[in-house]
Amino acid sequence: YRDIIIPAGTGFGTGHHPTTEGIIKALNKIFFNKKLRIKNIIDVGCGSGILSIIMSRLWKCKIEALEIDELAIKASVQNAKINMVKNNIDIKKILFHTKLKNNQYDLIVINILAIPIMKMIKDIKLKLNKNGRVLISGILKTQTYMICNKFRNFGIIIDK
């Protein structure tokens, strides 16, 4: 995605890491699939806020962004200001299973480590719309099958 400013600093993600690049490509693919209606979006582990910024610009809607690291939250807030989307991104210092503004998401984006993802799969299933999508990144290649199998156990269809 072009025209986004993310200074290298305390938040995770400048957009150049392969996992971030991969999720940006997936976001574009979802955006151009006109059959999908995306209105309610959450970014779990938002880091620098880069994915929230991109999603805010693509879908022109409010993005909920969750982060537990205080420095990353500060970076996300600053990056949202720099990129002029501050009013479109609601950055919170809470965990995914905590009470959220919306209970049904069309798109859940998660770019964190495998173990926290494994712990939140049940909550993901509960908060995902019937035709919603989950994008996961940040996991090791060796952890893919473990996570995919856990999602399948909860009835979430995997599309690689």
Side-chain angles (χ1 to χ4, degrees):
Y1 202 84
R2 297 178 185 177
D3 303 326
I4 292 179
I5 301 165
I6 305 290
T10 55
F12 303 100
T14 59
H16 299 292
H17 191 276
T19 59
T20 308
E21 286 180 358
I23 213 159
I24 291 168
K25 287 178 184 175
L27 287 170
N28 279 302
K29 185 178 177 183
I30 290 171
F31 177 74
F32 287 110
N33 182 344
K34 297 302 177 190
K35 295 177 189 172
L36 299 175
R37 292 179 48 107
I38 307 291
K39 291 183 179 180
N40 299 310
I41 303 172
I42 191 163
D43 181 4
V44 181
C46 66
S48 68
I50 185 167
L51 298 176
S52 293
I53 292 166
I54 290 169
M55 291 184 290
S56 171
R57 287 192 175 174
L58 286 172
W59 283 283
K60 311 270 189 274
C61 66
K62 191 94 167 172
I63 309 296
E64 282 186 79
L66 308 183
E67 181 56 67
I68 59 170
D69 183 273
E70 197 64 50
L71 293 175
I73 291 169
K74 288 178 183 176
S76 292
V77 169
Q78 186 62 32
N79 290 334
K81 286 179 187 175
I82 292 170
N83 289 282
M84 296 178 280
V85 293
K86 179 183 164 242
N87 295 333
N88 295 339
I89 301 174
D90 184 13
I91 303 165
K92 302 174 184 173
K93 183 179 180 176
I94 60 172
L95 299 172
F96 183 71
H97 65 274
T98 310
K99 186 174 176 155
L100 298 168
K101 185 190 308 181
N102 192 341
N103 267 338
Q104 292 294 296
Y105 293 95
D106 304 311
L107 181 59
I108 299 173
V109 176
I110 307 170
N111 192 8
I112 59 175
L113 301 173
I115 299 304
I117 292 172
M118 296 286 287
K119 290 179 180 177
M120 65 175 68
I121 290 176
K122 182 178 179 184
D123 292 315
I124 291 168
K125 172 69 175 171
L126 293 173
K127 295 184 185 308
L128 186 64
N129 276 345
K130 181 183 173 194
N131 295 317
R133 298 279 192 268
V134 180
L135 290 181
I136 297 173
S137 190
I139 60 173
L140 300 174
K141 195 171 191 168
T142 56
Q143 299 168 325
T144 303
Y145 291 109
M146 172 183 69
I147 289 176
C148 287
N149 286 335
K150 184 91 170 185
F151 270 96
R152 284 186 190 105
N153 288 341
F154 280 92
I156 298 174
I157 299 167
I158 305 298
D159 181 20
K160 292 187 200 178

